[in-house]
Amino acid sequence: MSNPYARIFSEPGAKGFSIAAFFGRLPLAMAPIGIVAMLSQTLGEYWLAGAVAATYGLGNAFLAPQISRWIDRYGQTAVAAPAAAVSAAAFVLLILASHWNWPAWTLFATALGAATLPSMSAMVRARWSELFRDRPELNTAFAFESAADELIYISGASLSVGLAAAWFPEAGMLASTLFMVGGTAAFLLQRKTEPAVRAPQADGPAGSAIRQRPVQIITLALVFVGATFATAEVSAIAITTALGQPGAASLVIGVYAVGSFVLGLVLGALNPRLALHRQLLIAVGVLALTSLPLLVAGSSVALLAAAVFLSGVAISPTFITAFGLIERRVPASMLTEGVTWVMTGIGIGMSLGAFVSGWVVDHFGPQNGFWVSVVASLAAALTIALGQRALAGERAAPGRLAVS
């Protein structure tokens, strides 16, 4: 049996833009925690560090889909290059503001400016779609990128915090900015694989991709999935601390992501023939089912790690099928924006999940934080189940709206 991953990377230019995109999106994991690590050390105020990080995160959640919409309209290089330049300049100013103890308002202003960071995850998937549209290799490519996202979440946050602790407070943010500049530049310089700009037809779907019913359904579902992701991290930290083994939290969180990473690669190699909307329903159903053992897994680190590993296996399959459905149900002229809305949903879910699970842990104890995972995963499954008819519709082509 031939290696499906070797097949997708044999396409001219595929290795180059995928490697560049990996480094270009490291700030996805490095920047939010890097801001907290930097400001908490230089200013000594966690509430301010968290508020500045939230300003960046929420700002990017709002701006990234708009930037991606312009990318669909005018091209990746024409829009992403200036947007990334503004983001990089703002990150540098934020680092200087932290180092030189500038007024607090400058921290918020520069964090908001840095939020113009374009969605590299969306742009790289748009390039894969350009290469393999309507071909089975596209599912393998999306599986690889979902696994890459997992690896970024595993390594990026740890790298950012580790650099800030080992070298100097701004080290993590400086490295994040350098990765973003170098990765984005290398990605955009590869013009041969840049997707062609497709102008929408006059009688076709107009406006934002979020007006498309499949985008609304999948984005909402992945808000809940993102919440389960963050809840696992918060609850793992709280439980291992309560067990007197706080250092084990990194191991538990790593196991969570590893399970998802491995199964995602396997799914990409197998390329199941079942309809994608059915695959997504199965994935979120498994996610809900495997969240239940978490409720009774707080007696030891070993038991916690096993339950967390089991609960993580459906994350990558959920992401892979979700992005595959977006590619099939959203007009090509809106693809980058459509993918970005889904990424935004994950980010919003992670922020809300961390907040809600933290509140539950504070008020009801470490073990009960996992109830947020159970409720969120059930909500994701219900959302996808109710949206099956819309998700089963044919691709929204110019001149025809998606079935809803």
Side-chain angles (χ1 to χ4, degrees):
M1 180 180 177
S2 62
N3 184 345
Y5 292 101
R7 170 68 192 90
I8 64 171
F9 284 112
S10 67
E11 200 74 16
K15 289 180 182 177
F17 74 68
S18 187
I19 292 172
F22 180 87
F23 289 101
R25 61 186 149 164
L26 273 171
L28 180 71
M30 292 183 70
I33 192 65
I35 291 173
V36 173
M38 176 178 71
L39 295 180
S40 62
Q41 290 187 63
T42 57
L43 303 179
E45 296 180 281
Y46 280 93
W47 74 267
L48 181 58
V52 174
T55 298
Y56 165 76
L58 293 175
N60 188 249
F62 173 77
L63 292 174
Q66 316 312 318
I67 293 169
S68 291
R69 185 178 178 185
W70 297 334
I71 287 173
D72 283 328
R73 185 172 299 178
Y74 302 110
Q76 291 185 349
T77 302
V79 177
V86 170
S87 180
F91 273 131
V92 171
L93 289 174
L94 176 58
I95 292 170
L96 293 175
S98 171
H99 184 76
W100 295 106
N101 198 21
W102 291 356
W105 69 265
T106 62
L107 302 175
F108 290 97
T110 52
L112 191 58
T116 59
L117 180 71
S119 177
M120 182 62 71
S121 293
M123 290 193 293
V124 71
R125 285 176 170 87
R127 293 203 181 199
W128 284 119
S129 295
E130 189 78 0
L131 289 178
F132 298 123
R133 181 168 283 113
D134 297 325
R135 293 166 58 185
E137 290 89 346
L138 184 58
N139 188 63
T140 303
F142 279 6
F144 173 81
E145 293 303 332
S146 293
D149 283 335
E150 295 280 353
L151 187 58
I152 285 168
Y153 278 117
I154 295 170
S155 60
S158 298
L159 178 62
S160 188
V161 173
L163 289 173
W167 290 359
F168 50 89
E170 301 86 0
M173 284 304 301
L174 182 59
S176 174
T177 304
L178 292 174
F179 281 133
M180 186 265 284
V181 171
T184 302
F187 182 83
L188 295 178
L189 285 172
Q190 300 178 61
R191 300 296 300 274
K192 290 184 179 180
T193 53
E194 181 174 343
V197 176
R198 291 176 172 84
Q201 297 292 321
D203 59 345
S208 172
I210 198 61
R211 296 176 62 184
Q212 300 285 305
R213 182 66 65 187
V215 178
Q216 294 170 356
I217 294 168
I218 294 174
T219 299
L220 177 60
L222 264 65
V223 168
F224 296 124
V225 173
T228 69
F229 200 87
T231 300
E233 296 181 349
V234 172
S235 298
I237 292 170
I239 291 174
T240 53
T241 299
L243 291 172
Q245 302 179 61
S250 59
L251 171 65
V252 173
I253 294 170
V255 164
Y256 180 68
V258 166
S260 177
F261 177 84
V262 171
L263 191 59
L265 290 178
V266 171
L267 183 65
L270 293 177
N271 253 325
R273 295 185 178 276
L274 185 66
L276 278 178
H277 65 285
R278 298 297 186 196
Q279 289 187 45
L280 182 56
L281 181 59
I282 291 171
V284 292
V286 171
L287 183 67
L289 185 63
T290 56
S291 69
L292 297 176
L294 293 169
L295 299 176
V296 293
S299 58
S300 71
V301 171
L303 186 61
L304 177 63
V308 164
F309 176 85
L310 181 65
S311 71
V313 297
I315 295 290
S316 257
T318 298
F319 288 171
I320 293 165
T321 50
F323 289 123
L325 277 167
I326 290 293
E327 190 277 333
R328 285 164 174 76
R329 301 293 175 258
V330 175
S333 60
M334 295 180 172
L335 179 59
T336 309
E337 185 193 355
V339 172
T340 303
W341 276 113
V342 174
M343 295 298 301
T344 296
I346 297 169
I348 292 173
M350 290 181 68
S351 298
L352 293 175
F355 172 77
V356 175
S357 59
W359 183 88
V360 171
V361 166
D362 284 340
H363 289 80
F364 301 101
Q367 184 64 51
N368 287 309
F370 282 125
W371 277 106
V372 179
S373 288
V374 173
V375 173
S377 58
L378 286 172
L382 181 61
T383 301
I384 296 301
L386 293 175
Q388 284 290 285
R389 181 180 177 186
L391 296 177
E394 296 180 359
R395 179 197 298 276
R400 183 178 66 212
L401 288 171
V403 175
S404 59

